Amino acid sequence: MAKQAGRSQADEEASLHSRQNPDKAAAPDAAPMSSPAPPYTDWLRHRLTISGPAEAMARFRAAAAGPGLIPWVLDLGRMEEDWRLQLLAPLEGEPAISPAGARILSRRLRDAAAANHQAALARAAADRGCPFDLHRLVPVPAAILALGPDDPAARRWLWAQWGTTRALRHVRAMPGMEDGRSRRTDRMAVEFWSADWSPWRALLRLRQDWPTLVWDLRPDYQREEEGAAPAARGRKRR
């Protein structure tokens, strides 16, 4: 395979990141930044191509497929209190609800959030619809999951181990990428959006875990400018 003799795209990504961001260039097992997540998230489109021996690729496809989410433990009590305070102290104008009404509404929001979260976790047990699930490949430990998605220590773990601070979004397999020339090799490509950075640290780890595979990660900033991800539309870029 052509790229085995040279530097991988993950190596090039890490090297480029180190040159452009010397204060963020720690090794994957080094101490992470104190504040890895910018105040506003930019969702960046990437395309990742993975190729290698057919047997190894079959094992990788099975290992990588999952629900595409991080099964955080939600602090529902804190969420309820945050919603109640936001209702009683809006950023602009006077509160449009009484204290009793805010308490009732915040409790209903909590109940709805809990039901939605439990339903998502139940589906996740058997869901393999995401072809490149980082939590399946580089799992978040239970102790980190218990902190919740907004905890600074949880964000630092994601940065140190994945290189991005949120789960990948809009992950999809690119059609027509199978290598039909040989039954001994295989190839897959996925497109995804990542928060603020590429998942370059996760790719460095995956290169070690899957040494017979070749990784080619390419950002697609031109297409990203032409059409922002649904979650990022209407948000100003930094």
Side-chain angles (χ1 to χ4, degrees):
M1 285 172 279
K3 297 200 71 170
Q4 283 182 320
R7 287 160 55 88
S8 72
Q9 184 69 18
D11 284 335
E12 295 167 0
E13 179 95 358
S15 176
L16 178 61
H17 193 280
S18 299
R19 294 196 302 270
Q20 293 180 341
N21 303 275
D23 59 329
K24 303 178 183 178
D29 57 348
M33 297 186 303
S34 60
S35 180
Y40 298 101
T41 301
D42 277 344
W43 290 94
L44 309 176
R45 192 198 307 254
H46 294 81
R47 176 168 170 163
L48 173 65
T49 303
I50 309 162
S51 58
E55 182 181 356
M57 283 296 299
R59 288 188 287 107
F60 177 79
R61 288 176 185 270
L69 57 82
I70 304 175
W72 296 109
V73 177
L74 300 184
D75 186 346
L76 294 169
R78 181 188 60 78
M79 294 169 62
E80 179 182 355
E81 182 65 9
D82 287 346
W83 284 324
R84 188 183 69 84
L85 294 177
Q86 291 170 12
L87 290 168
L88 293 175
L91 295 177
E92 297 181 0
E94 296 294 325
I97 193 171
S98 68
R103 184 169 58 253
I104 293 171
L105 181 54
S106 60
R107 173 54 61 93
R108 289 178 178 174
L109 290 172
R110 169 184 172 153
D111 292 343
N116 289 338
H117 188 60
Q118 289 303 316
L121 293 180
R123 291 194 302 269
D127 186 356
R128 296 295 180 267
C130 175
F132 187 67
D133 185 340
L134 280 186
H135 180 61
R136 290 265 296 174
L137 294 165
V138 186
V140 182
I144 299 298
L145 293 175
L147 299 175
D150 298 322
D151 188 272
R155 293 288 186 92
R156 287 195 296 269
W157 189 95
L158 290 175
W159 166 253
Q161 304 301 324
W162 287 8
T164 184
T165 54
R166 296 180 184 272
L168 304 180
R169 293 188 179 180
H170 310 292
V171 183
R172 68 183 186 98
M174 305 295 291
M177 293 303 298
E178 295 79 7
D179 189 352
R181 297 170 298 177
S182 172
R183 294 183 179 181
R184 294 180 297 177
T185 62
D186 191 13
R187 179 179 60 187
M188 66 177 286
V190 292
E191 180 185 81
F192 57 81
W193 296 76
S194 60
D196 297 302
W197 297 275
S198 70
W200 62 283
R201 292 178 188 259
L203 292 186
L204 293 177
R205 163 75 178 273
L206 293 175
R207 283 189 63 236
Q208 297 174 359
D209 294 345
W210 302 85
T212 61
L213 303 185
V214 177
W215 309 79
D216 184 10
L217 177 66
R218 298 181 182 274
D220 195 355
Y221 298 133
Q222 180 178 358
R223 289 186 62 190
E224 182 225 341
E225 292 293 342
E226 292 173 354
R233 286 173 184 161
R235 176 173 294 164
K236 294 182 179 179
R237 292 180 53 84
R238 299 190 308 278

